[in-house]
Amino acid sequence: MKQPKTKSVQKPLQTERAKQQEIPVSGGFLSNLKWPDRYWLMIIFLSIVGMIIRCINLDYLTLWVDEHVFVLPAREGTPFQVYDPSGYVLPILQYIFFEIFGCTPFVARFVSVLFGVGCIPMVYLVGKKYFSKNVGLFAAVLVTFSLYLVFWSRIARNYAIFAFAFLVLMYYLGDCLGVQKRFVEGKNKILNYFKINLKQIAIFFVVMLFAVQSHSLAIMAGFAIAFYHFVMFFVNLSKKQSVVKKILSVNAVITYGFLLYFLLLFMPWFQGIANQILATEVLGGVIAKVFPTPERILFLWKEDPFSVFKIYLDVFKTDLPWLWWLGFGGLFLGMYRYRKAGLYLFALFAVPLLLMSFIFREPVLPRYVIFLSPLLMLGIAMVFDELIIQIRQRLPNNKRLPKIAIVTCLIALFVLSPYQQSWTMVKTKKHGQVMPPELSRWYFADWQSVLKSAKREILPDDILLATITSYPVFYINTDVANTLLFRQMRYNAKIYAYEPQDVDTVTPNAHSLQALQKLFNENDRVWLFADYYFRNVMTDPLCRDFIIRNTTFRYDLSNQFVKVFLYDKNQPRLHQNYILDLLSPDSPATQEYTINIPNLSNQQLRILVDAEGMMYDNELCIEINGTVTGFQINNTEGLQMGQRQTLIANVTPASSGLQQGENKFRLFYNQGNMPRNAKIAVYNFQIGF
């Protein structure tokens, strides 16, 4: 008599060696809690700490220009009009929060804080689901104190939400791939053959939509899925199955598509055909992202094939200098220890990193790998968890030692994490470069204090020019029609070059010298708020010179980051300006001035400097032809220190390094031992006998 067939029971994902040990708790009611409760208590504690760190001085830094891309449409109630068509989730949530709590920089950034903190329990859930509770907990410690993740969680941009969305995607995507459990068959034989579960697919598409609408880089998950199936296809070739099943399996079909994509990627004619078929701005942009220009890829490879990879690698090395290499080792360890789950993590980390480093190389910025950082931390956590597994395997009868090892690993991860740097960053009130350039290239100019001071003097009919118009629109709440962009050049990303702004002879603008002059002639009062764009390629030198010579520099309203100019037709200017440099401890040198001295004798020369804000003698020093001299520039007019005055230094060619012909000069702010938040404005620089 035949024995009835019994269904084979699948072995659990976690091996006996990977079973968890309890975190030791000394007495009290905590000793009666079950194992998962203790882990969740730790996650709740880490989340509270993460929230506190991320909220300290949250609104101190001025909103950066990229933050306005989301904040302004959300404030105006038009969150679907954001510049980035793949980032609707964040402005929608910001709009809801603005309606409830009001539009402030704190509220704008607090939405990102919530998602940054949400990454802590989410990385625990991912680690627990695919690997072990220890892996999830250890990774959560690193996410809590990561300088990289803390900083971007405090910015009103779609980076913290993207890191969170990618973890959510990773949590559900594994079910569709059968990473953790066998496929559950349904009634449809065709779907069963290709191992398609409609419920899982529906969840996946919802989560994928959330991820893509958080950031367009979520499409990298598609390439990771293809790579996972590619590897599994070759693994299954060794199994005893029919040839038809092997070549028509879901792994095989996706592998064929994967290979076809890379074949078409280097076919220049394909992108042209695709753009003609999908001749719309949105769809054409998608094609450009998924199929970058082969010629551009090859050009960048010739310049420096590893430059982008080094930028992204430096993110991990700077954020976790003692641990990053363990993360890469943990990714390979995961494939050995957890097989399919390890391959799944490796694919989601390595494939996007390599594609972004060598194929999708533009644009490249440190913040673009934020969604990979928690995955690397899972790799680090697996290395520490392996220590627990080895202790339990080699000393199976010692139940206390694994508990001690877990606590030791938690302490070690905290000590090796950048908790000190994160704490210093959030509590320090400072504008400028607030982060290591390897983690963020954003330079925060202090616009808000300048604009709040100037707001009291701005009249309803005043015209406002700004090198970045979103700042006065947000902080002054001025009429957009009265706020014009002061830039004469723009960067064209399609041709990778700067080009002049479009000429507009009808609408008031400052795109050219003629338009700027017309604007001044037709209006009684014109303000200009200018940051570093005033001195770079975006500003026409003729327009810059026109502003300096025809406006009053508002020394009292300016700071080291933002210069304020006012043209008032009814208020005559008291001084004529010829140059303008604003010196401070953070920006201590003027630009270089070239003066030609045709006939040079050994007689004494006089250097005259028209300056404002100098409080002490010898607070300015002179560099002549690359050599800093010791000549004093002192107050000679008997004016009260700090007022605008002419400063004189007497020099001789023999002792100064002057030469006949062209000479180069710079002025330096010499703070010495006088601690003060100084700013010295230089309006003119002359030399004569």
Side-chain angles (χ1 to χ4, degrees):
M1 184 176 177
K2 291 185 177 181
Q3 296 292 332
K5 292 183 178 180
T6 58
K7 293 184 179 180
S8 59
V9 180
Q10 182 191 5
K11 294 181 179 179
L13 179 67
Q14 310 296 348
T15 63
E16 180 65 24
R17 290 177 299 174
K19 286 185 178 179
Q20 302 304 304
Q21 299 296 312
E22 295 187 35
I23 293 181
V25 182
S26 58
F29 77 96
L30 290 178
S31 61
N32 297 322
L33 292 177
K34 294 182 180 179
W35 166 233
D37 296 322
R38 293 173 182 169
Y39 268 85
W40 274 111
L41 283 176
M42 290 291 296
I43 295 301
I44 292 172
F45 172 75
L46 290 173
S47 299
I48 293 173
V49 173
M51 176 69 77
I52 294 172
I53 293 175
R54 287 159 174 79
C55 285
I56 295 175
N57 294 325
L58 183 61
D59 59 350
Y60 174 75
L61 291 175
T62 299
L63 290 176
W64 202 71
V65 60
D66 278 16
E67 296 182 89
H68 294 153
V69 172
F70 291 89
V71 173
L72 290 180
R75 188 186 72 169
E76 299 302 321
T78 56
F80 290 102
Q81 295 183 7
V82 294
Y83 175 77
D84 186 350
S86 64
Y88 292 131
V89 178
L90 181 64
I92 290 173
L93 294 174
Q94 287 176 331
Y95 166 70
I96 295 173
F97 271 69
F98 289 163
E99 289 295 307
I100 299 173
F101 303 106
C103 181
T104 65
F106 186 93
V107 175
R109 287 171 170 162
F110 186 71
V111 180
S112 291
V113 168
L114 292 177
F115 285 103
V117 174
C119 288
I120 298 171
M122 201 64 233
V123 78
Y124 167 72
L125 289 173
V126 170
K128 172 188 173 184
K129 180 176 183 177
Y130 295 110
F131 310 108
S132 71
K133 295 173 183 176
N134 280 341
V135 171
L137 179 61
F138 293 163
V141 173
L142 296 176
V143 170
T144 302
F145 299 105
S146 164
L147 176 63
Y148 181 57
L149 295 178
V150 167
F151 173 77
W152 289 110
S153 297
R154 293 162 51 85
I155 299 299
R157 280 285 295 182
N158 56 336
Y159 300 116
I161 189 175
F162 178 38
F164 176 83
F166 203 79
L167 287 171
V168 175
L169 178 64
M170 183 179 179
Y171 185 84
Y172 286 104
L173 177 59
D175 295 336
C176 299
L177 301 180
V179 171
Q180 193 181 29
K181 56 187 177 182
R182 294 181 185 275
F183 173 71
V184 179
E185 292 187 355
K187 296 180 180 180
N188 191 306
K189 293 182 179 181
I190 297 177
L191 295 179
N192 291 338
Y193 180 81
F194 286 101
K195 296 184 177 181
I196 297 176
N197 184 299
L198 292 180
K199 181 180 178 181
Q200 292 176 347
I201 294 297
I203 295 174
F204 164 71
F205 275 108
V206 171
V207 174
M208 188 67 181
L209 180 64
F210 169 59
V212 171
Q213 286 304 317
S214 296
H215 200 288
S216 58
L217 281 175
I219 62 173
M220 288 294 161
F223 297 108
I225 293 171
F227 176 80
Y228 178 85
H229 283 290
F230 178 78
V231 174
M232 294 306 299
F233 168 69
F234 285 99
V235 170
N236 292 335
L237 287 178
S238 61
K239 293 183 178 180
K240 293 181 179 180
Q241 293 178 334
S242 65
V243 177
V244 176
K245 281 190 174 182
K246 289 180 179 179
I247 63 175
L248 294 179
S249 66
V250 64
N251 291 325
V253 172
I254 294 179
T255 296
Y256 303 149
F258 189 50
L259 296 176
L260 177 63
Y261 164 78
F262 277 99
L263 179 64
L264 294 175
L265 178 63
F266 291 96
M267 298 292 180
W269 52 266
F270 176 79
Q271 191 176 44
I273 294 175
N275 281 326
Q276 289 179 0
I277 297 173
L278 303 172
T280 65
E281 183 177 351
V282 176
L283 295 178
V286 172
I287 288 295
K289 287 182 179 180
V290 179
F291 289 90
T293 308
E295 293 83 358
R296 184 64 181 174
I297 296 174
L298 295 175
F299 172 76
L300 294 173
W301 279 354
K302 289 179 181 179
E303 281 193 334
D304 187 351
F306 293 97
S307 61
V308 177
F309 180 75
K310 292 175 183 176
I311 290 173
Y312 291 143
L313 186 62
D314 283 344
V315 171
F316 307 127
K317 294 169 69 174
T318 304
D319 188 36
L320 301 167
W322 303 102
L323 297 170
W324 68 271
W325 55 277
L326 289 179
F328 284 89
L331 295 174
F332 290 97
L333 174 64
M335 288 189 286
Y336 165 77
R337 175 66 63 191
Y338 299 98
R339 307 299 189 209
K340 292 171 70 174
L343 174 63
Y344 177 54
L345 175 64
F346 179 85
L348 286 174
F349 178 85
V351 172
L353 178 62
L354 294 176
L355 286 176
M356 292 166 62
S357 298
F358 300 104
I359 303 296
F360 304 96
R361 300 183 52 156
E362 293 180 312
V364 50
L365 288 169
R367 59 182 182 263
Y368 291 151
V369 290
I370 190 168
F371 69 109
L372 300 180
S373 185
L375 276 57
L376 183 69
M377 293 173 187
L378 286 169
I380 296 170
M382 273 193 279
V383 174
F384 281 81
D385 187 44
E386 183 66 18
L387 298 175
I388 313 299
I389 294 173
Q390 292 297 326
I391 290 173
R392 188 170 183 274
Q393 179 185 2
R394 298 176 185 279
L395 301 170
N397 297 324
N398 192 328
K399 295 183 179 181
R400 183 174 180 82
L401 188 58
K403 299 177 183 180
I404 297 174
I406 292 173
V407 175
T408 303
C409 288
L410 288 171
I411 296 173
L413 286 167
F414 171 73
V415 172
L416 295 174
S417 73
Y419 73 94
Q420 289 182 319
Q421 295 90 324
S422 296
W423 177 250
T424 300
M425 184 267 295
V426 300
K427 74 174 184 178
T428 301
K429 291 187 176 183
K430 172 190 174 184
H431 279 82
Q433 185 71 44
V434 300
M435 285 281 286
E438 294 84 2
L439 302 183
S440 170
R441 297 180 182 179
W442 282 14
Y443 185 87
F444 288 86
D446 183 11
W447 281 79
Q448 58 180 325
S449 64
V450 169
L451 292 170
K452 288 178 181 178
S453 299
K455 185 177 181 179
R456 296 187 291 267
E457 299 186 31
I458 296 176
L459 303 179
D461 294 331
D462 287 359
I463 298 297
L464 272 61
L465 299 176
T467 50
I468 303 176
T469 57
S470 55
Y471 285 114
V473 170
F474 182 81
Y475 285 103
I476 299 181
N477 199 23
T478 183
D479 185 358
V480 177
N482 284 1
T483 306
L484 307 177
L485 180 66
F486 181 82
R487 290 192 206 173
Q488 293 73 51
M489 300 291 288
R490 66 186 178 191
Y491 183 74
N492 189 330
K494 294 181 179 179
I495 62 174
Y496 307 101
Y498 291 97
E499 62 183 12
Q501 296 274 14
D502 295 332
V503 176
D504 186 351
T505 58
V506 179
T507 307
N509 64 84
H511 292 174
S512 65
L513 179 60
Q514 293 76 16
L516 186 63
Q517 291 170 335
K518 181 181 178 182
L519 191 69
F520 275 53
N521 291 332
E522 294 179 352
N523 294 276
D524 291 337
R525 282 165 57 97
V526 179
W527 294 81
L528 170 61
F529 301 93
D531 62 358
Y532 53 87
Y533 284 110
F534 188 69
R535 286 292 182 189
N536 68 13
V537 69
M538 294 296 190
T539 298
D540 181 355
L542 294 177
C543 292
R544 181 167 52 240
D545 184 66
F546 177 84
I547 291 293
I548 292 173
R549 291 174 179 267
N550 293 277
T551 64
T552 299
F553 175 67
R554 291 299 302 270
Y555 175 88
D556 56 325
L557 298 178
S558 303
N559 61 26
Q560 66 189 78
F561 305 103
V562 181
K563 300 177 179 67
V564 182
F565 302 87
L566 174 61
Y567 167 74
D568 191 335
K569 189 178 294 185
N570 301 317
Q571 187 71 32
R573 288 178 290 114
L574 300 177
H575 303 278
Q576 177 66 52
N577 301 337
Y578 296 95
I579 61 174
L580 178 67
D581 272 298
L582 193 61
L583 305 183
S584 69
D586 292 328
S587 181
T590 67
Q591 59 183 314
E592 193 171 66
Y593 303 111
T594 301
I595 298 178
N596 186 49
I597 305 177
N599 299 311
L600 185 64
S601 62
N602 200 33
Q603 66 186 100
Q604 193 175 65
L605 287 84
R606 298 203 328 163
I607 296 176
L608 286 79
V609 179
D610 185 6
E612 181 177 5
M614 185 170 167
M615 300 299 294
Y616 308 98
D617 285 340
N618 203 27
E619 203 168 3
L620 286 177
C621 58
I622 309 173
E623 179 189 86
I624 302 177
N625 295 325
T627 301
V628 179
T629 67
F631 301 120
Q632 293 187 358
I633 303 181
N634 298 327
N635 174 22
T636 60
E637 297 183 347
L639 297 175
Q640 183 179 352
M641 284 296 188
Q643 294 182 348
R644 182 163 178 165
Q645 55 196 288
T646 300
L647 310 166
I648 297 178
N650 297 312
V651 301
T652 58
S655 60
S656 64
L658 287 170
Q659 57 191 17
Q660 186 164 310
E662 187 177 273
N663 290 265
K664 297 183 182 300
F665 298 85
R666 281 202 303 175
L667 295 175
F668 280 86
Y669 169 63
N670 178 29
Q671 184 176 7
N673 297 322
M674 298 165 289
R676 71 184 188 95
N677 189 16
K679 58 178 181 180
I680 300 177
V682 178
Y683 302 106
N684 195 12
F685 182 85
Q686 293 180 330
I687 186 169
F689 296 100

